[in-house]
Amino acid sequence: MRVAITGPRNAFPFAAEAFILLIAGGIGITPILPMAREAARRGLDWRLVHTGRSRGSMPFAAELAELAAAAPGRVSIRPDDESGVPEAADLLNLSPAAGAVYCCGPAPMIDGVRRAFGGSRASALHFERFAPAPITDGRPFELQLGDTGRVLPVPYDRSALDVLHEALPDMPFSCRQGFCGTCRVRVAHGHVDHRDRRLTATERAAGAMLPCVSRAPEGERLVLEV
């Protein structure tokens, strides 16, 4: 069988700013650890803090210990059962002045960092979620499957992709967060509330939509070419 492949997609690139705070929660250390190594290799001013429920549950302990030994004062390990559950504002205070923040971990930690970021001295925030964020501001709308006339209601708390995939099980998708473009469909009629991080203005104007995150205004119908 011949299989078509593409290069890897990176939704959490390392921009290598001069001043950096790296925040990891649990297994969120996976992308953060190589960023710390790269920051050290480049001679940047960086700090890393790794949080988790307990020291024994936190991965890459040996690798972090090696990194801490090579860069004294730059790595902080903060298990909840030893230090308490950290406040997002306290974590952000560890940032070098005007430093960029990279954050990966559980949704509550990321949401806390995002809320506290505006009151911090950090200059930029980059983050990566393990899973799609819950829909908190959705409104019900409808999808029509092309000329078939079949109409699918999309409730306020579900994505268009979820509903489409139930009706069309072979429909491809991947990230479910609006950055990879795998689930792209074309809208023949209707107004799209675009919420993705992938499509250009030209692509949107041509009718492209990523149903994993994008929606329609309340009560409206999108006619899809599927």
Side-chain angles (χ1 to χ4, degrees):
M1 179 180 292
R2 178 175 294 180
V3 179
I5 63 171
T6 64
R9 294 182 296 262
N10 186 2
F12 193 36
F14 183 54
E17 294 94 337
F19 306 99
I20 296 168
L21 172 63
L22 304 163
I23 302 175
I27 196 61
I29 190 65
T30 305
I32 294 293
L33 179 57
M35 289 182 180
R37 288 171 171 160
E38 180 64 10
R41 187 187 72 81
R42 296 190 184 204
L44 307 178
D45 185 0
W46 61 277
R47 305 287 187 280
L48 183 154
V49 56
H50 187 200
T51 69
R53 290 191 177 90
S54 65
R55 195 174 293 270
S57 69
M58 297 165 68
F60 297 109
E63 290 84 348
L64 286 167
E66 180 180 353
L67 182 63
R74 295 190 182 274
V75 178
S76 175
I77 309 299
R78 297 185 54 168
D80 295 350
D81 59 355
E82 297 178 20
S83 306
V85 179
E87 295 289 338
D90 293 337
L91 295 177
L92 289 170
N93 283 337
L94 299 173
S95 172
V101 177
Y102 291 79
C103 180
C104 184
M109 185 190 78
I110 292 177
D111 291 340
V113 169
R114 293 183 68 188
R115 286 192 298 268
F117 176 75
S120 73
R121 61 182 182 176
S123 61
L125 175 61
H126 312 273
F127 62 90
E128 181 180 42
R129 294 182 181 274
F130 295 148
I135 299 171
T136 58
D137 60 348
R139 298 290 186 272
F141 63 100
E142 296 179 335
L143 300 172
Q144 179 177 321
L145 303 185
D147 297 331
T148 67
R150 184 180 179 186
V151 175
L152 307 175
V154 182
Y156 73 95
D157 58 348
R158 299 190 68 197
S159 72
L161 176 62
D162 289 339
V163 173
L164 278 172
H165 194 255
E166 287 182 353
L168 305 170
D170 293 335
M171 181 176 178
F173 66 91
S174 183
C175 74
R176 304 180 73 96
Q177 299 182 55
F179 65 79
C180 77
T182 303
C183 66
R184 181 189 301 218
V185 295
R186 188 177 186 281
V187 178
H189 180 74
H191 175 71
V192 180
D193 176 12
H194 291 285
R195 303 185 178 189
D196 66 272
R197 295 179 282 158
R198 173 64 181 256
L199 299 178
T200 65
T202 300
E203 290 171 324
R204 292 177 178 181
M209 172 188 177
L210 300 188
C212 61
V213 291
S214 295
R215 306 180 67 83
E218 184 172 6
E220 292 200 15
R221 179 180 297 182
L222 300 179
V223 181
L224 306 181
E225 293 185 356
V226 293

